[in-house]
Amino acid sequence: MAAFGTVFMPEMAISWFDGNSWSPAEVVSSDSLQLHPGAHVLHYSSTCFEGLKAFRHQDGSINIFRMDRNIDRFTQSSELLALPAIEKTATANMIIDIVRRFKDEVPEPPGSMYIRPTHIGTEPAIGKAATPSVTSCQYILLSPVGDYFAGGDTTLRLLLEENGARCAAHMGMIKSGGNYASALRPIMKAKQEQNADQVLFCPGGDVQETGAANFLLIDGNEVITKALDESFLHGVTRDSILTIARDLGMEVQERQLTIDELLERAAKPGCEAALSGTAAVLTPVGTLIHNGQEYPVGNGGIGATTLKLRQALNDIQWGKAEDKHGWLTRI
């Protein structure tokens, strides 16, 4: 399988905002995008994006998972970055039309079509460091992806970082490229020095998220995760997993979780931890690293509840279980 997100469909949907209105959506080649070198996005990071998936069901239909929720967050990110307002209906139509155009390329389960809506500020004005771009561009890329766990399901090693945050606190709930860039150096350092797979940012001891995923602690019948605020990303997969957990009768706690409580609970034999995100849905965590010491989560292996929750969500996405929350958009 090619590395996740490195294969693209040859065409994408695109629309431009000229300062007054959005242009009608077009389908153009996805291998080039013409921008002025002084475009606002290239200098001041006026960019946000989304990640969602389309799935092929056994009856041959193509179904997009939680498109409305992703468009809501896309709209919010654009607003918080002071980008021109997007039109939700137009964005939804762009997504549906381009996925429909390449519906024959949507892989069979466990593969899917990854969808990447992107919004960038295009105004050529390098003097506008403190002023938003009045023009912008919105486009929808498609990338067919295979089985994320084709190489085997393994547990992750997380370094607990108390002295830094993934991004500026007021930027956390925006899905913006700059937030991912700001986490790269700490992640690279953790990999090199601690053989960690990811950094779990815990500023001041407050357990938040990793560089690219939300964090969940599973202790028996309890699922514990940080309550939503503007400091971290409001993951759609996170919300889906928590909803399924409630459906299964589990106790979901959205609240502050400290490093001390995390390590105390992780020491229990049956405890589990996982990262939630669009790519892998739910990935088990086996080891926490803190102040140079390693702490296994439970028995350090892949947790049964983690697998159960992931399978329950996959079954809805693949059409093997009832979509009782109306999460799928059939096209």
Side-chain angles (χ1 to χ4, degrees):
M1 183 183 72
F4 187 95
T6 59
V7 176
F8 298 96
M9 290 294 92
E11 295 175 318
M12 64 180 179
I14 194 167
S15 178
W16 301 83
F17 186 78
D18 63 7
N20 293 302
S21 61
W22 286 96
S23 68
E26 299 177 88
V27 174
V28 301
S29 173
S30 58
D31 64 0
S32 65
L33 181 66
Q34 187 169 344
L35 289 175
H36 190 282
H40 198 274
V41 62
L42 300 178
H43 300 267
Y44 307 119
S45 297
S46 52
T47 171
C48 59
F49 62 91
E50 276 302 318
L52 62 160
K53 287 178 176 177
F55 298 87
R56 180 178 299 280
H57 286 190
Q58 193 170 13
D59 63 3
S61 67
I62 305 302
N63 297 263
I64 303 174
F65 184 71
R66 302 207 72 176
M67 181 177 67
D68 56 343
R69 186 63 179 262
N70 280 274
I71 291 176
D72 285 345
R73 189 173 63 180
F74 195 41
T75 303
Q76 176 180 269
S77 292
S78 297
E79 179 182 342
L80 294 175
L81 284 174
L83 280 164
I86 68 168
E87 299 170 355
K88 290 184 180 182
T89 301
T91 299
N93 288 336
M94 287 174 69
I95 292 171
I96 290 170
D97 289 347
I98 197 67
V99 172
R100 187 174 284 148
R101 188 179 185 91
F102 291 102
K103 64 181 181 180
D104 291 343
E105 304 299 324
V106 178
E108 298 282 347
S112 59
M113 182 68 80
Y114 186 83
I115 306 166
R116 174 54 64 91
T118 306
H119 189 192
I120 59 175
T122 57
E123 184 181 1
I126 58 174
K128 298 189 71 172
T131 311
S133 175
V134 298
T135 62
S136 67
C137 174
Q138 180 183 177
Y139 57 88
I140 317 292
L141 282 172
L142 298 182
S143 176
V145 294
D147 181 4
Y148 191 89
F149 297 99
D153 208 345
T154 59
T155 59
L156 300 180
R157 293 166 50 85
L158 302 186
L159 174 67
L160 308 186
E161 175 56 70
E162 292 183 77
N163 299 316
R166 175 175 177 256
C167 60
H170 68 283
M171 290 286 288
M173 64 192 294
I174 305 171
K175 196 169 178 67
S176 178
N179 291 350
Y180 292 81
S182 70
L184 283 178
R185 283 291 295 274
I187 294 170
M188 292 170 63
K189 183 179 179 181
K191 287 181 178 180
Q192 182 178 22
E193 297 180 359
Q194 307 283 347
N195 192 30
D197 297 295
Q198 260 290 353
V199 173
L200 179 55
F201 292 97
C202 312
D206 179 34
V207 178
Q208 295 190 342
E209 62 182 336
T210 68
N214 292 131
F215 178 80
L216 304 174
L217 181 66
I218 303 168
D219 186 0
N221 197 49
E222 298 174 278
V223 180
I224 305 169
T225 190
K226 182 174 174 61
L228 296 179
D229 63 27
E230 65 180 11
S231 71
F232 75 108
L233 192 64
H234 300 181
V236 176
T237 304
R238 170 193 178 277
D239 180 78
S240 303
I241 290 292
L242 295 184
T243 300
I244 289 172
R246 292 187 181 99
D247 289 346
L248 294 174
M250 299 185 71
E251 180 187 345
V252 174
Q253 301 176 25
E254 297 183 72
R255 60 171 175 80
Q256 184 181 33
L257 175 65
T258 65
I259 287 180
D260 289 342
E261 181 184 0
L262 171 59
L263 295 179
E264 180 183 345
R265 285 180 179 264
K268 298 179 181 180
C271 193
E272 304 174 33
L275 300 183
S276 66
T278 302
V281 180
L282 206 56
T283 306
V285 174
T287 305
L288 303 173
I289 308 166
H290 185 237
N291 291 336
Q293 185 172 346
E294 296 190 6
Y295 300 85
V297 179
N299 62 13
I302 299 170
T305 303
T306 297
L307 294 181
K308 180 175 71 172
L309 290 170
R310 186 172 76 201
Q311 189 63 53
L313 181 52
N314 281 153
D315 285 348
I316 296 171
Q317 293 171 329
W318 298 336
K320 296 179 179 179
E322 180 187 1
D323 174 27
K324 60 183 179 182
H325 296 289
W327 286 342
L328 296 171
T329 299
R330 185 179 177 120
I331 65 168

